[in-house]
Amino acid sequence: MKIPGKKRKLLSCIGALAAATLLLVGCAPGSNESGENGESATLTTAVVQIPPMLDTAMTTYTPTGWLMRNVVEGLVTSDINYNVKPMLADSWNVADDGLSITFTLRQDVTFHNGDTMDADDVVASMQRWTELSALGQSAIPGAVWEATDDNTVVVVLQERNSVLLQMLASGGANIAAIYPQEIVEEYGTDPIDDFVGTGPYTLEEYKPDEFVKLKRFADYSNRTEPADGLAGDRTPTYDEIEFLQVSDNQTRFGGALTGQYDITLASPEDYSKIQDAPELEPILNWVGSLYLNYNKKEGAMADVAVRQAVNTAIGSEEIMNAFEPSPDLYEMRPGIMLRSQEEQWNSDADADSYNVNDPELAKQMLTKTDYANEPVTIMAQQNDRSAKAAIVIQQQLEAAGFSIELKVVDATTLLKQREDPQEWDILVYGLNSKLEPSAMAFFSPDFAGWTNDPTITQLLKDYRGAATYDEARAMYPQIIEAYAEYRAMTKVADWTDVIAVKTGLESAPVHDSQIVFWSVPLLD
Amino acid sequence: MLKAMFSRLGGLIVVLFIVSIVVFLLLYISGGDAALALLGNTATPEQVAAMRSSLGLDRPLMVQYGDWILGVFHGDLGQSFYRRESVVEVIFSRLEPTVSIAIVAQLVALCIAVPLGIASARRVNSTLDGIVTTYTMIGMATPGFVFALLLALVFAFQLQWFPLSGYSPLADGVGTWLRFIALPAISLGVVHSALLTRMTRSSMLDVLSQDFIRTARSKGASSLRIVYGHALKNAAIPIVTLVGVGFAVLVTGALVTETIFNVPGLGKLMVESIERRDIPVIQGVVLLATVTFIFINFVVDVLYLILDPRVRQSA
Amino acid sequence: MTLKLNPASTPVEPRAQNRQLTFSYRFLRRPAFRVGATLAVLLLVLAVVIPPIVGYDPYSVDPSVRLSPPSFTHLYGTDDFGRDLFSRTNGGFQVSLMIGASVAISSAILGTLLGALAGYYRAVDAIIMRICDGLMAFPGILLAMALVASLGSSLVNVIIALVIVLTPGIARLIRSRVLAIKEELFIEAMRSQGASSLRILLRHILPNTLNVLLVQVAYIFADSIMVEAALSFLGAGVAPPTPSLGNILYDGKQVFLTSPWMVIFPSLMLIVMVMVVNFFGDAVREALDPKASRRRWTQRSKSVWLGRFSNV
């Protein structure tokens, strides 16, 4: 006997669900459009993470840099060939003894709050940057900034730094941003929360872990030179830029494929799919290189001969091939700077010891050392390409006679364990490129790896103390030679990040490790 | 009876203390701390030390814990290390998506489970029953995230009927809100419905076979009356239990679905906070989840009492 | 018409000689057991017998064939390293099996110990139960994640974390059984005859908890497999290159939209594995107390089901 009541209940449930589904599908607003009619053009960018701190002086996080360089600006910046170009300073003059630099500031630069920039703002901001930022501390410790008049600022250094301007021009980590004096005084050593800058965009809304919204600054004081890298004209094309955090790779890439985002930071795995998809184009962003970082303080790797043996066993091709879906995404070249920086920094002093790929020779070299088959710990970050590289590196080193223990840990644990020389012997890690070699993290004796070589120390001192920038540059080959002899690190290869953009946006310029967002063309 | 319940409640407060201590200790034992997560990977040791100090991480453990507990009694859950906002604010701002999905998922589960459970109980060992049983066995063995991925692949990516990621608040329109939570809620709801169906079926079976049902039937009561009047009321007890448990399960399932569909809810907050050792947030969310769970159990216990005189008698 | 007022579910019998025989007989005849057994055999053949014949190594990397779809050479396709997915899935199956078994056995032993102590000796009851309540009030997977984050993501630590999370459920169950059994008259009789507490506990009480325990063990086995998968999926479980069904899914998630086989096959294996264990659990439960199990649903539902994770 039928039970109409029960059946009715079942049917009504199904009916309700079906109706709801139809309703939802019918209400579909379609994919996110980016203002083609020129009314208010919004650029939607999906990123891996919205940084927790946007104060570029306090954090070394590169995403903070390339996000905030749309909002804040520094005294100088770099062009496409990494030459230093004016930004908020029109010109500068290095004293003969190199112990002071005089900056002539631009006039009539407007802050986002309407104030005009003057020397006091610069002095306050730069003093804070010098004291608080890692780059400031390593570049010009103890430096003092002074205003000599309304438009002139002098920095008095304790030691020469021939590459200071290169450091100040950084558009990535530790941007030396200029804020109004009141803001600097208000926040002091606390992270700044009120981002009043001079850049082409204002910070409209910021929710850590979710999004950042930028809005065109109507009264932006533009430079007149043509746009070149990060220098010159910065007239923004889009009225608004939204950065959305989408931490899951597939969800982010799926959003790119379904047209939800205009620009998407993708992962190398998606490269061929981007190439195949008619509505997407790839942009390659050369961010840095993959390195083997040696623990030179304690353990098996403290012996340079053992390091050289490891170096000899490493075959870059096999490693990169294991996880990079295409040779477009990496480049095997010696040295510690990128190809795009070749005009400034070029040397093949370590070409012979790069990508040697000779496990037999490595084995022989190893027998001549004191290495007694104790387990060597390779550490890598979970969920990162370096972990994949580490698996292959393990195999290569085992073929050369090493006994290897692979330790893969999450990002936060890695940062902590990295500081403890008992936790690892080799760290497989990607390092971001810098604008000049001495800024590379591994040259600092404090940085995990603990480089401690008198030759290198002296060379870097001379390099920084060189009379001119060009003289400093000429020392690059020597630095590389010393680096190779000491075997501070072993580079595997330079690598790229992959950015998926909607077709029509592929001419967006890339410089200093990220897209130059104010110059992204409009979609038509 | 009431006395027993209140004493149990008291015991549960002790439990909460224990839970909070456990979380606190665990995360401090683990490697890595919030200061490093904030400062990026080339910060100097001095910077890290300064940040740790400003976050209060350099104080002894007991002091840190004591400070936090005192704050809890004032309704202050501390400040998130990562976001430098009050934990209460952070949790509040991420509450809506998770609760929305949980409620809709529970509704979906009930809509599927109750009719199916009743239908298969009434037709034991028939083809329908076989199908339903297979469905429950597969459903109970399927991890929530597998089903969620499948739905994402088919309905969001290939058919593009639903967005792949994000959330739209209820205040911005019911239609859009439903569109964004549809897939996460359906995936959680369908997976949970397997267990619920099984429960409904067995409790209906159990009740239908009992003496008093036979008596009612022999007295000539119609099947409809039997099902709804007597059986369902008695079968309701375990169902109510499961709805209670279900909320806990759904909030747990939120962890994976929110990660897959990029919903800014509590689940995703938890995963991110654990990664970053943002201890105040973790403690706050765990406290909230535990309190909710305990509260729901309490409500279930009360409903138990009301619905089942036998339990009342034996207590 | 009388309703049973005593909530104790299983009538407690003194140990009968032919009890085992009856149990096995009933167990083997269950359709649930038969389906479960068939699936189990199929799984074992697939995952343990075939791989040595086919001969692929779950660890060997071959980037030239990375992410290739299923074919005759690679039955399930390859993963992002070019490793054969068939052998990796089977490797993961074995690891998950090991995790499930270790957790089930460990938590059974530990839980029984704790539950028996709590049920029999009132002094420790309060302490043990409070701790168990504490651990159980905590959303399970969060506790597991936090534990693995503290201890590190090795296989052993994942097992430890799961044992810590799942033991309290068993402890509570055993405790309530022990409490119920204690009230039974024949225990009183034995005590008055001078039997020691320990002897009573071991010879009479514990064997009568076995039925409940066995069922729970089966469910814990299934649950730990699923929770390990969820943990690894969230990145907090077994670390590579050791394959586990969860971490294959984790890697597969990264390329899911474009190479779905990396998610489909381990998922299928996971689902079938858990189904098989559930079938066995059901068969055991039905075989042991066909009548009483029904009664259990209405009265003991909460404690039985709270011991489970259910789906994650």
Side-chain angles (χ1 to χ4, degrees), chain A residues 270-485:
Chain A
D270 305 318
Y271 182 59
S272 50
K273 307 291 182 234
I274 302 174
Q275 287 174 308
D276 291 337
E279 62 277 4
L280 290 180
E281 293 289 333
I283 290 185
L284 297 180
N285 181 13
W286 293 89
V287 288
S289 323
L290 177 64
Y291 283 93
L292 274 81
N293 188 352
Y294 300 108
N295 177 351
K296 300 174 275 288
K297 201 181 217 180
E298 274 180 42
M301 294 300 138
D303 179 0
V304 58
V306 177
R307 298 203 286 276
Q308 297 290 14
V310 172
N311 186 65
T312 311
I314 295 296
S316 298
E317 177 97 43
E318 188 188 25
I319 297 173
M320 299 309 287
N321 217 359
F323 62 89
E324 296 281 24
S326 155
D328 294 349
L329 304 180
Y330 62 91
E331 189 176 356
M332 301 190 299
R333 39 189 305 279
I336 59 177
M337 309 297 279
L338 299 178
R339 180 176 292 288
S340 55
Q341 299 168 308
E342 251 180 350
E343 205 184 272
Q344 311 277 332
W345 311 98
N346 202 352
S347 159
D348 56 4
D350 69 335
D352 284 338
S353 59
Y354 174 71
N355 190 22
V356 180
N357 196 15
D358 192 344
E360 285 310 312
L361 177 57
K363 226 185 222 171
Q364 285 174 28
M365 288 167 71
L366 196 58
T367 50
K368 297 193 198 125
T369 68
D370 289 331
Y371 178 67
N373 214 33
E374 58 268 29
V376 167
T377 306
I378 297 183
M379 190 159 78
Q381 183 180 317
Q382 199 177 36
N383 190 8
D384 191 74
R385 294 179 276 175
S386 53
K388 302 189 172 191
I391 293 179
V392 182
I393 291 173
Q394 175 184 15
Q395 290 175 356
Q396 288 185 344
L397 292 184
E398 280 171 349
F402 285 93
S403 156
I404 302 284
E405 245 174 52
L406 181 57
K407 185 155 81 159
V408 174
V409 292
D410 67 274
T412 324
T413 311
L414 183 112
L415 282 179
K416 189 156 194 176
Q417 294 202 345
R418 196 180 69 174
E419 305 306 315
D420 186 351
Q422 309 225 332
E423 291 287 348
W424 59 278
D425 296 300
I426 300 178
L427 185 61
V428 178
Y429 206 53
L431 283 176
N432 287 326
S433 63
K434 300 288 182 196
L435 286 176
E436 56 80 35
S438 74
M440 289 305 280
F442 53 77
F443 277 133
S444 158
D446 287 327
F447 185 73
W450 307 287
T451 299
N452 193 2
D453 178 47
T455 319
I456 290 183
T457 315
Q458 188 58 46
L459 267 175
L460 287 178
K461 211 160 168 230
D462 296 339
Y463 161 85
R464 289 261 179 107
T468 64
Y469 172 61
D470 286 323
E471 271 184 44
R473 277 201 311 137
M475 292 182 67
Y476 180 61
Q478 282 173 277
I479 296 177
I480 294 298
E481 223 178 278
Y483 152 91
E485 259 194 54

Side-chain angles (χ1 to χ4, degrees), chain A residues 54 56 64-74 88 110-113 175 177-180 194-206 212-217 220 234 241 243 517-518:
Chain A
L54 295 185
T56 55
T64 303
W66 50 250
L67 212 145
M68 290 309 285
R69 69 188 186 194
N70 300 289
V71 178
V72 297
E73 298 173 326
L88 292 175
T110 324
F111 278 111
H112 294 154
N113 62 2
I175 293 178
I178 305 297
Y179 303 97
D194 190 5
F195 294 99
V196 177
T198 55
Y201 287 96
T202 59
L203 186 69
E204 269 298 286
E205 223 190 315
Y206 165 49
V212 165
K213 292 196 178 151
L214 304 181
K215 195 165 165 175
R216 174 203 291 269
F217 179 41
Y220 176 59
R234 288 186 173 188
I241 305 182
F243 293 93
F517 282 99
W518 53 79

Side-chain angles (χ1 to χ4, degrees), chain A residues 85-100:
Chain A
K85 284 281 152 65
M87 192 66 233
L88 292 175
D90 266 337
S91 62
W92 50 89
N93 187 19
V94 182
D96 287 333
D97 63 355
L99 291 178
S100 69

Side-chain angles (χ1 to χ4, degrees), chain A residues 182-194:
Chain A
E182 306 79 56
I183 301 269
V184 176
E185 281 167 3
E186 184 189 328
Y187 284 90
T189 52
D190 287 332
I192 290 181
D193 260 329
D194 190 5

Side-chain angles (χ1 to χ4, degrees), chain A residues 1-7 9-10 13-14 17 20-21 23-25 27-30 49-54 57-62 132-134 137 173-174 190-193 206-210 245-248 250-255 257-261 383 410-413 415-419 429-432 434 441 446-447, chain B residues 28 30-47 51-52 54 81-85 93-94 107-108 110-112 114-116 118-119 122-123 128 149 156-158 160-166 174-180 182 186 222-224 227-228 232 259-262 264 268-269 272-277:
Chain A
M1 184 169 71
K2 277 195 191 166
I3 307 295
K6 179 218 72 201
K7 262 224 166 74
K9 190 172 175 187
L10 180 68
C13 261
I14 295 177
L17 282 171
T21 317
L23 187 74
L24 301 177
V25 174
C27 289
Q49 196 186 51
I50 295 293
M53 245 205 286
L54 295 185
M58 296 214 67
T59 178
T60 56
Y61 220 9
T62 332
L132 281 185
S133 72
Q137 281 296 292
N174 282 157
D190 287 332
I192 290 181
D193 260 329
Y206 165 49
K207 260 198 175 176
D209 275 346
E210 287 186 53
Q245 172 168 321
V246 186
S247 12
D248 184 75
Q250 278 298 271
T251 314
R252 202 165 62 245
F253 185 57
L257 285 171
T258 52
Q260 234 183 322
Y261 315 121
N383 190 8
D410 67 274
T412 324
T413 311
L415 282 179
K416 189 156 194 176
Q417 294 202 345
R418 196 180 69 174
E419 305 306 315
Y429 206 53
L431 283 176
N432 287 326
K434 300 288 182 196
D446 287 327
F447 185 73
Chain B
Y28 274 103
S30 68
D33 69 47
L36 288 163
L38 275 172
L39 291 176
N41 58 8
T42 43
T44 62
E46 296 84 41
Q47 277 189 314
M51 177 62 67
R52 296 192 82 232
S54 82
F81 289 159
Y82 197 72
R83 293 168 66 143
R84 286 166 294 119
E85 274 172 20
S93 67
R94 312 274 286 231
L107 284 174
V108 167
L110 282 173
C111 273
I112 297 175
V114 173
L116 276 186
I118 295 177
R122 295 205 68 250
R123 299 195 183 93
L128 176 70
L149 282 177
F157 182 63
Q158 298 198 330
Q160 294 192 34
W161 287 358
F162 297 93
L164 199 51
S165 89
V174 183
T176 336
W177 173 75
L178 271 177
R179 275 196 85 229
F180 276 96
I186 291 174
S222 76
S223 289
L224 180 67
V227 169
Y228 281 93
L232 199 55
T259 314
I260 294 173
F261 291 104
N262 199 44
K268 194 147 162 297
L269 181 67
E272 289 164 353
S273 300
I274 290 182
E275 242 172 56
R276 301 191 289 238
R277 313 289 190 269

Side-chain angles (χ1 to χ4, degrees), chain B residues 15 19 23 26 30 137 139-146 149 153 191 195 198-199 206 245 249 252 255 290 301 304, chain C residues 133-134 137-138 141-142 147 149-150 230 233 249 256 267 270-271 275 282 294 298-299 302 305-306 310-312:
Chain B
V15 159
V19 164
V23 171
L26 277 181
S30 68
M137 287 306 280
M140 282 168 62
T142 308
F145 59 88
V146 167
L149 282 177
L153 178 67
V191 159
L195 186 61
R198 200 168 198 232
M199 265 313 287
D206 198 25
V245 174
V249 166
T252 314
L255 280 176
T290 314
D301 275 337
Y304 230 57
Chain C
D133 280 347
F138 205 127
I141 194 169
L142 291 182
L147 279 165
S150 324
F233 182 77
L249 285 169
F256 174 61
S267 301
L270 187 66
I271 294 173
M275 273 177 71
D282 286 348
R294 295 285 190 76
T298 44
Q299 286 149 358
K302 200 165 93 150
W305 289 103
L306 275 182
S310 190
N311 279 22
V312 170

